[in-house]
Amino acid sequence: MSDMISLDAAELARRIHAREVSSVEVTRAHLQRIEAVDGPSDGSAGPDGVHAFLHVDADGALAAAEAADRAIAEGGPVSPLAGVPVALKDNLTTTDMPTTCASRILDGWRPPYDATVVARLRAAGLVPLGKTNLDEFAMGSSTENSAFGPTRNPWDLTRVPGGSGGGSSASVAAGEAPLALGSDTGGSIRQPGAVTGTVGVKPTYGTVSRYGLVAFSSSLDQIGPCARSVLDAALLHEVVGGHDRCDQTSVNAPLPPVVEAALAGARGDLAGVRVGVVGELSGEGYQPGVLAAFTDAVRTLGELGAEVVEVSCPSFSYALPAYYLIAPSEASSNLARFDAMRYGLRVGDDGERSTDEVMSLTREAGFGAEVKRRIMIGTHALSAGSYDALYGKAQKARTLIVRDFTAAFETCDVLVSPTTPTTAFAIGERVDDPLAMYLADLCTIPANLAGNAALSVPCGTSPDDGLPVGLQVMAPALADDRAYRVAAAYETARSSTPDAAPRIPELRALETTR
Amino acid sequence: MTAVSTPGVEAAPYTVEEVCEHFDPVMGLEVHVELNTATKMFCGCANAFGAEPNTNICPVCLGLPGSLPRVNGAAVESAIKIGLALNCRVRERSGFARKNYFYPDMPKNFQISQYEDPIVFDGYLDVPLDDGGTWRVEIERAHMEEDTGKSLHVGGATGRIHGADYSLLDYNRSGVPLIEIVTKPIVGARDRAPMVARAYVTALRDILRGLGVSDVRMDQGSMRCDANVSLTPKGSPVFGTRTETKNVNSLRSVERAVRYEMGRQAGVLLSGGTVRQETRHFDEQSGTTSPGRAKETLADYRYFPEPDLPPLEPGSAWVESLRAGLPERPWERRARIQTEWSLSDEELRDLVNANALDLVADTVEAGAPPEAARSWWVSYLLQQANKREVTLPELSITPAQVARVIALVAEGTLTNKLARQVVDGVLEGEGDPDEVVAGRGLAVVSDESALTAAVDEALAAQPAVAEKIRAGKTKAAGAIVGAVMKATRGQADAARVQELVLERCR
Ligand SMILES: [Zn+2]
């Protein structure tokens, strides 16, 4: 295994820019790693492959790497991450690769435009490797809802990598990519980050453009970075973030100084920082090993000089039900456009059937069970007889959650909790129990409903099963830098402890030849 | 009962006068207006009528996955101006909502519209009626929304989607900004209801044209009217069941559709039937309405706030500056112009009917005397428009150009006859009047010595005539003048030639 695949993006960038190694070599090393451990993009390797990728564009990646090497050789100014490979969640539009959202319904669609974040990555000289697996339309917590087979957790291939962005987090965890972009609607970056032992950030809503992100729930969706270090996440965050006139929910304000905060935090001093432990996000229903790792992490924050206090956010108990009304409601409308008329799958068009019948047959065949479930929930929640009792009430709960955050941030600089109640569960374990599946997002959903910043940073492994655990750090809106500072300080302190997990799992190279 | 409920081309069984013996009509008018902004409501595509299908499109107005709308500020400005011109209140904070329903010409399968909080609301319009009175129509609201694409159903008998062999979709119109202006129920108009409906839509069209916010072409669909009509039995406190008539594509049709629906509904009610709440289509040919496709479970559009767009908060300073910039109401302007130019009612009506009022006013503005400006537009230019089968405003000559032609005549550079040739040149695209004069060599021969020489030559050529003139028969001068005009190819001032002839024979 080439050491290049275990290096941080910041270190790779340093070596590439110093011309110690070329971007082409780095890119080739990652493509080889993908080839070795990922299995075919249709998931047919089963439990032998990570299956993080739905599409790998080796030629495109190598061409982009060559271009980056040329720019560096010419000696002009290049972006801090120029030449570094990156994986893209397959709900971001790309002109040179398909965008499937892991759904059959987008069969054959090639977007005519790049998402703003993709355009910014390209402009900054990063090297897109391919598109990563997800729960269909980002609806799920395990990546098992992909129409193209589940992604597997690199630390244990019988377990899920979380979701919906399991592909992005698993690709980073497995050393297939040093960086990835995900999207977080209810925890889809942070929860997979936690269970794969990687960093995942949901920036403040509106600080990273959603233009070109295939919408699941527009008022909750937010694109963010996946990485193996806090600094790497911050570097990617700065490349893709900032105002975009194509997204009117985009905040027209300077991006918080996240790289500076990550560097400052890494010096390990949290004196004067007040950290609130959210009482409602622990206790009954949480895996004891997760709570043990979390308690250790809080103790470490105290040792770094932070003042740790208990805070209560009583309305967080409404977060899960409110989320499962608001998100499906918006989704039912956002996904209405998939009707077989203009692009993607078309079923039953035999010249006899009506437009309505073709639409119905296509949606019946093209959407998976979870997507249909949410479209139906959302359609019901918005219907005339239910709107006030369901959608309207959920919006009221959302207001209460915002108030809880506001009150907590009056006394605390950041709030912390476990990122997930449990470590990675087994593939198949929760597929028939949607409610159990929904609980995986219990801790992450409040920040989506309120729109503030939150991230997950690895905090060791659970003593009961040895699997990764995540520490969630939440900060006020537009104060993402605070979360980065605390996470970086914690990361530095933890990396010097004896039980720090290995950075990259020793995955057996697949012997399949194709 | 069967006879009156059968859709067909028969005349409505009751006249409005007969209807009003038994019922009071109640109307509600919904007018959709396409704004003439340069770009669409939520993207940068050109907002243009008549382009090749699917050429003015982009990911946003095609509703492609991942695309997001962004509000066109010019459309918001137009909406506020319309509201102010209709005496509406402007909401300090309004927002967009999604109206969800499936239809292939709507690429997102939802329409971005406004629901509970339209940008302007609660206004009125004092509408001048043909009989000299005015009628106050109260405005419920005006809101912004995006237009749909257009479908063309090919094959099958009906031209509708059912039974068609296939359908073609053109998304050029998708996302074009629309304003929907909704009246409160118009009650008490009685037998004048059809006239009030027409007068309201006319007044609205004139106001919108005066604001310059829309082409307001009912024939091209940039202004569309839906007429809701119901009949209340005399003395009843409850409105009757209403029908909504669509496809009303001219001012005259508004009046006819309301009249027909009143008569038809009275026929149904008086024969013991009940009016069905339904959408009906107006047929221009027969002047009748017929029911739309019957599927009427009440549509549930599942409106909810559009999460991709922040609320609209037009500041009061902006609103007040727009209010201050509002033009005169068209009929007030007309009254003022009539006084200033001393026009008879008939002359004014001719101007308005010929779509010439604004053109004449602009020509006067550009320096021409009112009488000359009016005369040019309603005579020669109107003939040219008719010959070319266009309306006066569509003629390719501007009021400023007409004013220049008038000035050239006044200063003696052109005769009226030459001036018409200059106008022809402008209409043919030969440039500004001065360019046409130069290009065609049309200026009056005003070189006195040249003219004098021409006169002398003509007198010499016709000695007998010259003798008659010298003997005092000045009428004989006409023959010499004619000869001179011929010699100068009409480019001489005939009056001056006449003077010269007489001078030379003195
Ligand atoms: Zn467009």
Side-chain angles (χ1 to χ4, degrees):
Chain A
M1 155 166 124
S2 157
D3 77 323
M4 271 187 284
I5 61 161
S6 61
L7 293 176
D8 288 349
E11 175 61 16
L12 284 172
R14 189 195 65 72
R15 294 189 189 182
I16 293 169
H17 297 179
R19 302 183 66 189
E20 293 168 20
V21 64
S22 70
S23 171
V24 167
E25 288 168 291
V26 170
T27 300
R28 198 164 275 141
H30 285 93
L31 290 170
Q32 281 163 0
R33 174 70 168 175
I34 295 169
E35 180 82 9
V37 305
D38 210 55
S41 60
D42 61 2
S44 58
D48 293 330
V50 177
H51 191 31
F53 284 88
L54 295 179
H55 181 89
V56 177
D57 182 11
D59 293 344
L62 289 169
E66 277 169 25
D69 284 333
R70 259 196 316 278
I72 291 158
E74 283 163 10
V78 293
S79 126
L81 289 175
V84 176
V86 61
L88 306 172
K89 192 175 182 180
D90 200 20
N91 57 356
L92 298 169
T93 59
T94 45
T95 50
D96 52 357
M97 293 182 268
T99 295
T100 67
C101 298
S103 180
R104 301 266 177 216
I105 207 151
L106 274 168
D107 186 37
W109 185 54
R110 182 66 67 101
Y113 73 107
D114 275 332
T116 295
V117 291
V118 174
R120 289 184 180 179
L121 288 180
R122 296 195 206 273
L126 279 87
V127 176
L129 294 169
K131 307 293 286 285
T132 58
N133 202 2
L134 64 154
D135 286 297
E136 185 177 6
F137 287 104
M139 296 180 191
S141 309
S142 69
T143 320
E144 290 168 287
N145 295 332
S146 167
F148 309 111
T151 298
R152 292 168 183 273
N153 192 316
W155 297 103
D156 178 346
L157 293 173
T158 68
R159 292 179 187 259
V160 301
S164 65
S168 281
S169 295
S171 74
V172 170
E176 296 173 283
L179 297 168
L181 282 181
S183 66
D184 190 313
T185 307
S188 288
I189 294 174
R190 291 163 287 159
Q191 184 257 13
V195 303
T196 60
T198 55
V199 176
V201 182
K202 183 201 89 71
T204 298
Y205 182 80
T207 57
V208 180
S209 169
R210 292 184 294 116
Y211 192 76
L213 167 66
V214 180
F216 160 19
S217 178
S218 312
S219 73
L220 301 165
D221 295 343
Q222 185 58 200
I223 295 170
C226 311
R228 287 191 300 268
S229 81
V230 174
L231 176 61
D232 283 1
L235 287 165
L236 184 55
H237 190 150
E238 287 203 350
V239 170
V240 297
H243 182 246
D244 175 21
R245 58 182 296 277
C246 288
D247 175 0
Q248 280 209 301
T249 61
S250 154
V251 179
N252 197 354
L255 205 64
V258 294
V259 170
E260 194 185 310
L263 292 169
R267 290 193 284 273
D269 180 11
L270 290 180
V273 176
R274 277 170 305 175
V275 173
V277 177
V278 182
E280 284 76 8
L281 299 180
S282 68
E284 204 186 328
Y286 285 70
Q287 187 178 324
V290 167
L291 290 179
F294 174 67
T295 307
D296 269 357
V298 172
R299 190 182 314 117
T300 304
L301 294 176
E303 287 163 7
L304 289 167
E307 182 193 338
V308 178
V309 295
E310 286 272 334
V311 293
S312 176
C313 296
S315 303
F316 281 15
S317 59
Y318 304 136
L320 200 66
Y323 174 84
Y324 278 101
L325 290 169
I326 292 169
S329 295
E330 293 183 6
S332 70
S333 174
N334 284 330
L335 271 61
R337 73 193 67 200
F338 302 107
D339 63 2
M341 292 298 118
R342 290 160 298 276
Y343 46 80
L345 189 68
R346 183 182 282 190
V347 174
D349 182 13
D350 57 2
E352 297 293 320
R353 289 193 173 92
S354 72
T355 313
D356 286 353
E357 286 170 321
V358 171
M359 283 189 192
S360 294
L361 287 168
T362 303
R363 289 166 70 82
E364 170 62 31
F367 286 140
E370 182 64 23
V371 171
K372 286 179 195 158
R373 174 161 34 239
R374 295 198 196 188
I375 290 173
M376 285 189 281
I377 290 171
T379 303
H380 177 64
L382 290 176
S383 62
S386 319
Y387 184 93
D388 291 339
L390 297 176
Y391 181 82
K393 206 160 254 177
Q395 289 293 7
K396 286 187 183 128
R398 191 172 186 175
T399 307
L400 295 177
I401 290 159
V402 171
R403 277 189 207 153
D404 275 5
F405 267 119
T406 307
F409 285 129
E410 273 168 19
T411 56
C412 301
D413 296 305
V414 296
L415 303 177
V416 296
S417 75
T419 308
T420 58
T422 68
T423 56
F425 45 89
I427 285 177
E429 187 182 316
R430 298 190 187 177
V431 282
D432 296 323
D433 188 351
L435 291 181
M437 186 74 87
Y438 295 173
L439 284 173
D441 296 330
L442 194 61
C443 310
T444 46
I445 282 172
N448 295 92
L449 289 171
N452 55 299
L455 59 73
S456 178
V457 59
C459 75
T461 52
S462 165
D464 41 25
D465 56 17
L467 289 166
V469 176
L471 167 68
Q472 179 174 229
V473 185
M474 296 171 274
L478 298 176
D480 307 44
D481 51 321
R482 286 191 209 169
Y484 275 98
R485 180 182 166 201
V486 171
Y490 172 74
E491 176 184 62
T492 306
R494 228 200 63 75
S495 63
S496 59
T497 61
D499 67 330
R503 302 295 310 277
I504 300 281
E506 285 293 341
L507 287 160
R508 188 171 55 87
L510 294 173
E511 287 171 17
T512 49
T513 49
R514 358 175 241 287
Chain B
M1 173 67 196
T2 9
V4 291
S5 63
T6 303
V9 295
E10 80 277 18
Y14 294 96
T15 67
V16 281
E17 290 75 16
E18 289 164 346
V19 172
C20 292
E21 286 168 22
H22 304 276
F23 304 100
D24 287 325
V26 178
M27 293 185 297
L29 298 167
E30 293 172 15
V31 175
H32 284 87
V33 180
E34 277 181 2
L35 298 179
N36 60 3
T37 49
T39 56
K40 293 186 180 180
M41 186 74 222
F42 298 115
C43 65
C45 290
N47 169 20
F49 181 82
E52 278 289 297
N54 296 314
T55 50
N56 293 329
I57 53 169
C58 74
V60 177
C61 57
L62 274 184
L64 290 187
S67 67
L68 295 172
R70 53 176 191 273
V71 176
N72 180 348
V76 176
E77 180 172 313
S78 294
I80 294 173
K81 280 180 175 171
I82 291 170
L84 293 173
L86 299 177
N87 303 292
C88 288
R89 294 162 64 191
V90 178
R91 204 176 291 271
E92 284 171 25
R93 186 183 164 96
S94 67
F96 291 96
R98 290 188 187 176
K99 180 181 184 180
N100 295 284
Y101 63 100
F102 281 82
Y103 204 79
D105 65 11
M106 198 167 59
K108 301 186 293 296
N109 285 319
F110 61 79
Q111 180 189 33
I112 305 179
S113 181
Q114 294 194 288
Y115 183 50
E116 284 174 326
D117 46 2
I119 184 156
V120 297
F121 64 104
D122 206 6
Y124 62 87
L125 184 60
D126 286 330
V127 175
L129 301 180
D130 286 352
D131 62 11
T134 45
W135 186 275
R136 174 163 294 191
V137 173
E138 300 204 67
I139 307 293
E140 172 84 34
R141 58 188 280 164
H143 69 252
M144 293 177 281
E145 59 189 30
E146 54 178 340
D147 212 340
T148 62
K150 270 186 187 164
S151 6
L152 177 66
H153 305 297
V154 181
T158 59
R160 297 190 188 162
I161 191 165
H162 283 263
D165 292 336
Y166 61 93
S167 301
L168 298 171
L169 289 161
D170 175 8
Y171 292 104
N172 281 349
R173 200 181 68 179
S174 173
V176 163
L178 283 182
I179 304 287
E180 181 176 343
I181 302 160
V182 183
T183 67
K184 291 181 182 168
I186 300 170
V187 294
R190 302 163 57 86
D191 58 343
R192 292 199 295 174
M195 177 177 74
V196 167
R198 177 185 183 148
Y200 164 71
V201 179
T202 307
L204 193 58
R205 184 199 61 176
D206 290 352
I207 284 221
L208 297 172
R209 183 181 287 152
L211 290 172
V213 295
S214 169
D215 301 339
V216 283
R217 295 280 300 269
M218 290 188 89
D219 55 334
Q220 290 183 354
S222 61
M223 181 167 179
R224 315 194 274 269
C225 180
D226 299 342
N228 294 294
V229 176
S230 68
L231 297 181
T232 308
K234 278 206 173 298
S236 165
V238 195
F239 291 170
T241 304
R242 67 185 170 85
T243 61
E244 181 178 15
T245 301
K246 292 184 179 289
N247 198 33
V248 188
N249 292 332
S250 71
L251 295 170
R252 185 164 158 262
S253 296
V254 174
E255 184 168 351
R256 289 167 81 208
V258 170
R259 177 178 291 126
Y260 180 82
E261 262 309 282
M262 285 172 67
R264 186 192 68 85
Q265 290 184 18
V268 172
L269 294 168
L270 291 174
S271 62
T274 50
V275 172
R276 284 200 319 185
Q277 179 164 348
E278 63 188 357
T279 300
R280 300 181 67 88
H281 290 271
F282 183 70
D283 182 74
E284 292 274 349
Q285 290 289 310
S286 60
T288 62
T289 68
S290 59
R293 188 157 61 91
K295 66 153 187 181
E296 307 299 340
T297 47
L298 255 181
D300 179 355
Y301 292 121
R302 291 172 284 118
Y303 280 101
F304 74 105
E306 166 57 91
D308 286 328
L309 293 171
L312 288 169
E313 298 175 66
S316 59
W318 186 36
V319 172
E320 288 317 309
S321 77
L322 294 176
R323 193 194 303 276
L326 285 183
E328 269 178 298
R329 282 179 210 296
W331 44 91
E332 288 165 2
R333 173 177 147 100
R334 264 171 237 158
R336 179 176 59 76
I337 287 175
Q338 183 173 16
T339 315
E340 284 179 11
W341 301 353
S342 320
L343 298 177
S344 70
D345 287 352
E346 196 184 350
E347 287 168 328
L348 180 70
R349 194 171 331 120
D350 287 347
L351 280 180
V352 171
N353 288 345
N355 274 321
L357 189 74
D358 290 339
L359 298 166
V360 174
D362 290 346
T363 308
V364 171
E365 190 107 306
E371 183 49 42
R374 193 173 65 82
S375 146
W376 270 100
W377 283 105
V378 298
S379 54
Y380 188 68
L381 286 165
L382 188 56
Q383 288 165 22
Q384 297 307 307
N386 291 340
K387 204 160 89 185
R388 290 168 163 79
E389 296 183 334
V390 297
T391 63
L392 269 185
E394 288 166 350
L395 271 185
S396 51
I397 188 166
T398 65
Q401 289 169 329
V402 175
R404 177 62 186 151
V405 171
I406 292 169
L408 288 170
V409 173
E411 71 187 37
T413 307
L414 295 178
T415 60
N416 274 325
K417 188 177 163 202
L418 286 177
R420 285 195 285 275
Q421 294 179 38
V422 172
V423 165
D424 292 342
V426 174
L427 294 174
E428 296 301 326
E430 293 169 25
D432 277 333
D434 289 295
E435 289 164 350
V436 178
V437 168
R440 292 195 178 190
L442 289 177
V444 167
V445 176
S446 55
D447 179 336
E448 287 278 319
S449 58
L451 266 189
T452 309
V455 168
D456 288 347
E457 206 173 297
L459 288 169
Q462 301 185 58
V465 180
E467 202 48 48
K468 278 185 187 166
I469 300 170
R470 289 197 184 96
K473 294 190 173 168
T474 52
K475 275 187 185 164
I480 303 297
V481 172
V484 171
M485 293 307 285
K486 195 172 176 188
T488 57
R489 300 200 325 278
Q491 295 182 41
D493 179 347
R496 180 66 192 138
V497 173
Q498 168 97 6
E499 282 172 19
L500 278 176
V501 172
L502 297 179
E503 248 170 53
R504 301 301 283 180
C505 295
R506 205 170 288 147

